[in-house]
Amino acid sequence: MTGSLRHSYSIAIAGCGPAGLAAALLLYRAGHSVTLFERFDAPRPIGSGLMLQPTGMAVLDAMGLLERVARHGARIDGLLGLQEHGRCALDSPYRNLGTDEFGMGIHRASLFAVLYEAVAEAGIDIRTSQDIVSTHADARERRFVFSDGSRSDGFDLAVDASGWSSALGERERGLLQFGALWATVELDPADPFAGNLLEQRYDRAARMVGVLPTGRRSLEGPREAAFFWSLRGVDHEAWRTAGLEAWKHEVRRMWPETACLLDRIDSEEQLTFARYAHRTAPGPYGHRFIRIGDAWHCASPQLGQGANMALLDAWGLARGLAQGRTIDEGLRLAARWRSDHVRLYQAVTRFFTPLYQSTAAMPPLLRDRMLMPLSRVWPGKPLQARIMSGLFGWPLQTLGLEQPDYRALAQAISA
């Protein structure tokens, strides 16, 4: 990281997700005193698979953690989405970038484990069972306020990295119509899925089923994939009432090849329903306070940017505090370096999400009749690849980050 440490601050971070863990490690390495607060009895990941894009991998590489992460991941060379009758609705290979980049599918638990182990190895203080409900500041310090009415010690800076449902934000604003059911399933070498693609099938935009290879959580364990099914929040209870077999029948009708994966889902408990929101906090920072990751900006996972944006935010915060002469200036720098990219992807995600998750008739027609043909010719091909990869808007150059060595990374993944 460029710049030198001007001051050593005491910093409190709410949340042990990718944003909080990465920020804690970067700030600790920069010489700050860091305390992590987590509302669960023990920090743990929530969810199934995610996509690491070139942006997030650049941060992990700069942190010296990418090779450890890659051992658990699966190389993803592109996204392929077909309508249920076989017509292509999405085809976006990373090779359209014209360089060596690719993505990585990984289980959230694998990414969490690498980041958490690094934090534990550093000896960073983690305080569990801390249910934060608000924050209070005076001229000199900021404190977290807990649900039992008690307050934390005073800190020079408080960081909200507690996700889109942060108690320090607006939990109910911007909830999206669609969420998704997620399951983690084992993969067999004979399964009829490309091991290097995120594959999806669509019934217009009202229903979507997808398979994302996520590598191995244990280096000695089986290869796995995230299996997901889009579902409106208001339909979740009806889905439960109908039962697992009725749902499997519907999925098999859309994508018969998924039958082998469905046979490995034996109970409803294997499926987790995730809700999503799309909103941006009106101001990411204030007096001795800043939001990063989904606590600042959350969106549908359709473009696979969530964890990557969180990692970029964490890097930007550490870099801003390293270069700012005061805390306020450091926070301004961090927000300024990230704001354009955040606004850009919030707008792009808002546009693209209805094309793949909507009950309206027009969005899938726009997707299939206009955007799909344009994505097959220049400049649509490289533009779509840059958007998908998270590289649209030059976020790495803005933050002084460099691309990792993808040839070496490919060997680490396949090892």
Side-chain angles (χ1 to χ4, degrees), residues 213-236:
T214 55
R216 306 176 191 266
R217 278 180 283 180
S218 167
L219 296 181
E220 296 76 31
R223 294 189 183 276
E224 296 177 324
F227 184 84
F228 53 96
W229 170 263
S230 66
L231 186 70
R232 295 191 306 169
V234 296
D235 294 333
H236 184 215

Side-chain angles (χ1 to χ4, degrees), residues 8-14 32-37 124-127 130 132 135-146 151-159 287-289 327:
S8 177
Y9 301 124
S10 61
I11 301 175
I13 301 175
H32 302 291
S33 173
V34 179
T35 303
L36 271 163
F37 291 85
I124 295 171
D125 184 15
I126 302 178
R127 302 182 186 179
Q130 304 290 304
I132 297 169
T135 179
H136 173 78
D138 57 30
R140 298 182 58 186
E141 57 189 13
R142 185 172 283 272
R143 302 172 187 269
F144 287 135
V145 181
F146 304 112
R151 296 187 179 191
S152 70
D153 300 331
F155 293 88
D156 296 322
L157 173 65
V159 180
H287 179 59
R288 299 183 180 271
F289 177 76
I327 288 180

